[in-house]
Amino acid sequence: MQRSEQERIRRESLATMRALGIEPYPAASFPVSHRSLSLSTSFQNELDVTMAGRIMSRRIMGKASFVELQDSEGSFQLYLNRDELCPGEDKTLYNDVFKKLLDRGDFIGISGVTFTTQTGEQSVKVKSMTVLSKSLKPLPAVKVDEDGKVHDAFSDPELRYRMRYVDLVVNPSVKATFEARSKVIKTIRSSFDQAGWLEVDTPVLQAIPGGAAARPFTTHHNALDIPLYLRIANELYLKRLIVGGFEGVYEFSRNFRNEGMDRTHNPEFTVMELYVAYKDYHWMMETTERLLADICTAVHGQSKATLQGVKIDFTPPYRRVTMREAILEHTGIDIHGKSEDELRTECTRIGIETDDSMGKGKLIDEIFGERCEAHFIQPTFIMDYPVEMSPLTKVHRDDDAYTERFELMINGTEIANAYSELNDPDDQRKRFEDQLKLSERGDDEAMFIDQDFLRALEYGMPPTSGIGIGIDRLVMMLTNQTSIQEVLLFPQMRPEVFDAGPDLNALRTWGVPDTWIQHVVDAGFSSAEALNELTPAGLRERLNGYRKKNKLDIPALTLEEVETWYATIA
RNA sequence: GACCUCUUAGCUCAGUUGGUUAGAGCAUCUCACUUUUAAUGAGAGGGUCCUGGGUUCGAGUCCCAGAGGGGUCACCA
C-alpha cells in the first residue's frame, strides 16, 4: 500500500530525530508525578510536575507554543517557551524537535512548573521534554469548538470498530462507555463477593452445549478426536457446583452463539450468571432490583438513567406481572387453560404467523414477544412462564401449568432471566425428553440431553435460585447506546482484507540500492510490469524527478544503475 | 438469507442534465508570530472518485457484477 504524504513526512521526521541522536522509541520507563484530571481538580500554581501523554494539538506562535497533552485521565495544556525549554545556546529541542519533528499523535514526557495563563487556563510551563513514541499515521483531526460542538468527527462506524484504538484516542465518549462497563462489572462483583458468593470459571469448550437453546459454534479436539462446542451458556455447570456444596457461585460467562448479528446480537456476548442455594425466585427478584439500583448509582450517581430520551427508574421495587396478566393486558387473550390448538387459533386471529413445529410454550412466547414485550419500558419482572418454554425451571408451587421463572424487561428488552431452579431429577429428565420431542417436530433450538447433569441432580441439589443478566444489554441501557457494537471494544466484523504490499526483497534482487527501495515503491514502481512500461532512461528520469520533488537526501540514480535493474529482470 | 442504502484527499463532506485540469473546511508542508485554545495571517502540496466490466466522442456521475459498511426484515428465550 502506498503511503500518504503525511506518513512519508512523519517517517522522515523519525529518521531526522535518530540522526540528531534522539531515540523515538526509548526503552526506559518514564515515571509520572501527575495526571491531567487529578492535577486540574487540585490545581495550584508553582507546582513541579512530570507528565506524559499524546500531543493532541499544537498552537505554535514563534518562540512560544501551546500543546494539548492527552493522558489516561483527560488532557492538560502545556506551555512551551523556546528560552525556558532551551536555556543555552542550542535551541534544537524547540526549533527542530518540537516545532518540526513532532506531530499530533506523538507521545512525549515533560517536566515543568504549573501556572495559570493570562486567559485563565491551567497550564504547565515545560522545562524539559522527552520523546516517548513517534506516531507514523495521522490521527483524524477532530475538533471541538467553544460550544462543545464536534467538527469533523471520526464517525464512520466501520473505521471506528475496526480501529477502536483510534476511536478511543479521538472520541472521549467512547472511553467513557467502556469505563461505565467496567463499573457495572465491578459493582456486581463486589456486591456478590460481599455476600460471600464464589466467582468461578467453568468450561468454554463443552462436549454438550447445554443450558440454553441456541445454535453453537463447533470445533474439533484433535487428541480426543471429538467435536467440541463453544458454550452457549454455563448454567448446567454452575448448578453442578451447587450440588457440590457451594452456597453461592457466579461467573461472568462469555457465551457464543452461531446466529444472526444485529444491533442487539453479537456472536460472542457476556452473561453474568448467579446461583444461590436455599433461595427462590421471589428472593432473586429482590436481590436483582437492589443490585440494579446499585449498578445504576455506580454509573450515574443516582438510580435513574435516561435512555433515548426516556427516563428509566431503577429504584426498587419493580412492577411484577405474570405472563398470563401481561398477555391479557395487551391482547385481551387469557392463555390460562388453553390448548395448543386454541392458542394457534388465537395467534392467527391477531395476525401472528405460526407453524407446526411450534408447541404451546413457543406459541405463548410468540404472543408475548410480538404484542407485549415492547410495552414494558420501566423495569418490570414478567413472572410465571408456561412450563413448556422453561425446561430448567421448577414448576410453580400453586399451578403446575406454570414455572417459577421471571424475566426482567427494561425498555422493551429482556435484560435478565431467572428461575427457582428445577432440582427434581426425574422431572428434569422428563422435561429434557419433551425438548427432544420438540426437536423431532423441527424446533432446532430444543435442548440436548446432558446425562451427567441429570446424574448430578440425582445426587441432590438444594432448592436454588439462579439468574442470568445480559451484561452487554445492561451496559447499553446505562450508557444510552442503541447498538451492542458500541459496548463491545472489538465487535465482530468481517475480516479486513489487507494488501500484501510490494515485495521489497524483489527490488533488492534487481539491484535497487537500499536507500532507494522505499522511494521506488512510493513512486509506484514496485513490480517488474511497472518497470517494463518505461525505458531505463524514462524510469531514471521519473525517479530522479521524484527525488527532486521530495527533496530526498540520497544520490541521484545513474543510467547505468537503472539499466542493470532491467538486465536482472530480463 | 432478502430488501434498501452508502463508499470521492489523513478526517468530515460538496460535486448540478454525463462535458475543460474533481472541490471545501480541518489536517499536512513553507514563512511570520513570546500567553494561545476550533490560535491567527500569507503561500504550497496532497486523489486507484471501493474494485472489475460495460454504454458513450466523453463516466466520480448511467448500466451490470463483485467487495466492504450502515439500516430494515428474517433468524436469535
Side-chain angles (χ1 to χ4, degrees):
Chain A
M1 204 173 5
Q2 203 161 335
R3 286 190 189 125
S4 73
E5 182 196 25
Q6 292 192 44
E7 288 174 74
R8 285 200 300 274
I9 289 165
R10 283 169 181 240
R11 281 180 183 276
E12 281 162 25
S13 300
L14 181 81
T16 311
M17 264 188 212
R18 288 209 163 107
L20 284 171
I22 296 167
E23 172 51 48
Y25 303 103
S29 59
F30 188 87
V32 162
S33 71
H34 290 78
R35 291 185 182 83
S36 56
L37 189 65
S38 36
L39 177 59
S40 150
T41 49
S42 60
F43 186 80
Q44 46 183 307
N45 286 328
E46 299 298 320
L47 208 60
D48 287 319
V49 297
T50 302
M51 302 175 79
R54 205 189 267 277
I55 297 174
M56 289 308 283
S57 74
R58 290 187 304 166
R59 295 181 289 278
I60 298 175
M61 282 155 292
K63 299 183 186 69
S65 300
F66 292 91
V67 166
E68 189 197 341
L69 188 75
Q70 177 171 300
D71 63 16
S72 59
E73 292 184 347
S75 57
F76 209 85
Q77 176 168 282
L78 307 180
Y79 171 71
L80 282 83
N81 181 302
R82 187 192 69 183
D83 298 321
E84 302 245 14
L85 184 63
C86 311
E89 285 300 302
D90 182 7
K91 308 294 185 190
T92 310
L93 186 61
Y94 183 81
N95 284 341
D96 296 320
V97 179
F98 172 72
K99 276 171 71 176
K100 292 205 167 71
L101 305 179
L102 285 179
D103 291 287
R104 184 182 145 75
D106 291 350
F107 282 91
I108 57 170
I110 59 101
S111 287
V113 181
T114 56
F115 75 110
T116 307
T117 64
Q118 285 172 8
T119 51
E121 178 90 3
Q122 300 172 348
S123 306
V124 174
K125 189 177 291 177
V126 177
K127 305 278 189 193
S128 72
M129 179 183 79
T130 311
V131 177
L132 297 179
S133 183
K134 181 78 191 152
S135 161
L136 296 176
K137 283 183 176 291
L139 287 169
V142 180
K143 287 205 166 183
V144 182
D145 68 17
E146 52 195 6
D147 302 326
K149 198 166 168 247
V150 179
H151 297 257
D152 303 326
F154 179 60
S155 56
D156 182 330
E158 175 175 9
L159 294 175
R160 286 185 47 229
Y161 301 151
R162 287 200 194 280
M163 300 194 288
R164 185 67 94 180
Y165 36 89
V166 175
D167 194 25
L168 286 163
V169 170
V170 302
N171 293 328
S173 68
V174 174
K175 214 168 154 189
T177 298
F178 291 101
E179 284 163 354
R181 184 180 174 113
S182 171
K183 274 184 196 160
V184 169
I185 290 168
K186 252 186 226 166
T187 305
I188 297 173
R189 182 171 278 139
S190 67
S191 160
F192 289 0
D193 287 349
Q194 217 161 12
W197 302 325
L198 192 72
E199 182 169 9
V200 297
D201 290 299
T202 64
V204 174
L205 284 175
Q206 304 180 349
I208 298 167
R215 207 179 324 154
F217 283 94
T218 309
T219 184
H220 185 263
H221 191 278
N222 288 341
L224 295 175
D225 192 23
I226 52 163
L228 284 176
Y229 304 91
L230 269 61
R231 71 174 163 205
I232 55 174
N234 61 348
E235 169 156 1
L236 303 186
Y237 282 95
L238 293 184
K239 286 188 196 173
R240 284 172 170 98
L241 295 175
I242 297 294
V243 171
F246 292 112
E247 191 167 319
V249 289
Y250 70 97
E251 179 175 16
F252 288 93
S253 173
R254 188 71 64 88
N255 294 346
F256 304 84
R257 296 188 184 177
N258 203 343
E259 290 162 352
M261 290 164 60
D262 61 29
R263 243 187 13 249
T264 53
H265 296 84
N266 193 68
E268 55 181 296
F269 59 102
T270 304
V271 175
M272 193 296 304
E273 297 226 10
L274 166 73
Y275 291 79
V276 183
Y278 315 120
K279 306 294 185 190
D280 65 8
Y281 75 144
H282 292 293
W283 173 87
M284 188 60 89
M285 282 185 245
E286 286 159 26
T287 305
T288 303
E289 57 194 9
R290 274 201 312 272
L291 178 69
L292 285 186
D294 286 349
I295 293 170
C296 186
T297 305
V299 174
H300 292 296
Q302 53 170 10
S303 58
K304 295 181 177 68
T306 305
L307 181 56
Q308 307 305 300
V310 180
K311 265 240 165 16
I312 307 285
D313 189 350
F314 287 93
T315 316
Y318 301 164
R319 189 178 167 211
R320 286 149 168 81
V321 186
T322 66
M323 168 135 294
R324 182 183 165 192
E325 288 162 358
I327 292 177
L328 193 60
E329 182 179 323
H330 289 108
T331 67
I333 299 168
D334 186 356
I335 57 168
H336 188 67
K338 285 219 163 36
S339 69
E340 190 180 308
D341 284 343
E342 287 169 324
L343 286 168
R344 184 162 285 126
T345 309
E346 291 286 5
C347 279
T348 312
R349 187 174 64 79
I350 61 171
I352 294 172
E353 285 183 28
T354 61
D355 64 62
D356 290 344
S357 78
M358 290 175 165
K360 221 170 134 179
K362 187 84 182 166
L363 290 168
I364 293 169
D365 190 37
E366 274 308 295
I367 299 173
F368 182 77
E370 287 286 319
R371 293 295 138 90
C372 309
E373 210 171 64
H375 294 102
F376 295 102
I377 303 300
Q378 294 302 319
T380 307
F381 293 118
I382 306 296
M383 304 161 58
D384 301 350
Y385 282 61
V387 66
E388 294 85 355
M389 54 197 287
S390 310
L392 301 168
T393 315
K394 196 182 283 229
V395 289
H396 198 280
R397 60 196 78 180
D398 299 326
D399 186 341
D400 64 8
Y402 298 101
T403 56
E404 297 207 347
R405 169 182 178 181
F406 72 81
E407 286 193 357
L408 174 59
M409 308 294 304
I410 303 172
N411 197 39
T413 311
E414 175 202 339
I415 279 291
N417 182 17
Y419 320 137
S420 294
E421 301 296 336
L422 176 53
N423 61 345
D424 175 342
D426 291 337
D427 191 2
Q428 181 68 80
R429 184 178 301 274
K430 190 177 154 298
R431 304 273 201 99
F432 275 146
E433 280 161 3
D434 291 344
Q435 287 288 304
L436 206 61
K437 279 181 205 140
L438 282 177
S439 120
E440 280 158 9
R441 278 173 66 173
D443 184 346
D444 58 2
E445 294 154 26
M447 294 184 189
F448 296 76
I449 296 187
D450 186 332
Q451 296 292 347
D452 174 72
F453 173 66
L454 289 170
R455 178 169 60 193
L457 290 189
E458 284 169 352
Y459 278 95
M461 183 172 91
T464 297
S465 186
I467 188 169
I469 299 177
I471 296 296
D472 309 300
R473 289 182 186 180
L474 178 60
V475 173
M476 282 167 64
M477 286 185 183
L478 291 168
T479 55
N480 196 17
Q481 296 294 344
T482 52
S483 157
I484 197 170
Q485 296 171 305
E486 293 292 346
V487 300
L488 298 171
L489 281 167
F490 301 101
Q492 191 58 239
M493 300 199 84
R494 208 176 286 270
E496 195 173 356
V497 179
F498 284 94
D499 269 345
D503 184 355
L504 297 184
N505 279 323
L507 271 69
R508 204 162 282 133
T509 60
W510 302 346
V512 179
D514 280 354
T515 50
W516 265 97
I517 285 180
Q518 191 59 57
H519 302 303
V520 172
V521 171
D522 290 345
F525 300 98
S526 52
S527 66
E529 294 76 48
L531 258 63
N532 283 328
E533 284 176 18
L534 289 173
T535 62
L539 179 66
R540 172 177 173 254
E541 204 168 295
R542 291 280 285 274
L543 288 175
N544 281 338
Y546 181 89
R547 168 180 171 272
K548 193 171 178 187
K549 186 177 165 195
N550 290 286
K551 297 180 185 152
L552 301 179
D553 192 19
I554 53 176
L557 292 164
T558 62
L559 185 57
E560 291 73 39
E561 269 181 296
V562 178
E563 277 172 340
T564 58
W565 304 354
Y566 278 83
T568 325
I569 293 166

